[in-house]
Amino acid sequence: MKPRTTRTAQQVRAEFQRKGISIGSWADQHGFSRSSVNQVLTGRNAATMGAGHKIAVMLGLKHGEIVENFHG
């Protein structure tokens, strides 16, 4: 199995542009606010926990696990 590599925000934006997908439509489709996705892509959200973490992992910006309903 090929190891996954992370992407940069610029690479994510380029892929969206190639596919004709807006950041807003990706956010809507995945149940995130548009501002949260923009904040992760611009680096204003460190994406260390919560929705920011989930967005970054789903976009391939960082390696990580998405754990639903964790009560720690």
Side-chain angles (χ1 to χ4, degrees):
M1 188 181 204
K2 182 177 156 184
R4 282 183 48 188
T5 58
T6 59
R7 303 184 296 177
T8 65
Q10 185 176 2
Q11 290 170 321
V12 172
R13 283 192 179 92
E15 180 182 345
F16 282 0
Q17 189 172 18
R18 260 193 327 275
K19 293 179 177 180
I21 300 170
S22 71
I23 293 168
S25 66
W26 186 92
D28 294 344
Q29 181 180 359
H30 291 90
F32 298 113
S33 74
R34 293 170 179 216
S35 64
S36 292
V37 176
N38 275 312
Q39 288 171 1
V40 170
L41 286 171
T42 60
R44 287 186 306 246
N45 180 322
T48 57
M49 61 184 81
H53 168 80
K54 190 172 181 179
I55 291 165
V57 171
M58 290 178 72
L59 289 174
L61 297 172
K62 69 181 241 182
H63 293 293
E65 249 181 277
I66 297 171
V67 180
E68 300 292 338
N69 301 320
F70 177 75
H71 302 284

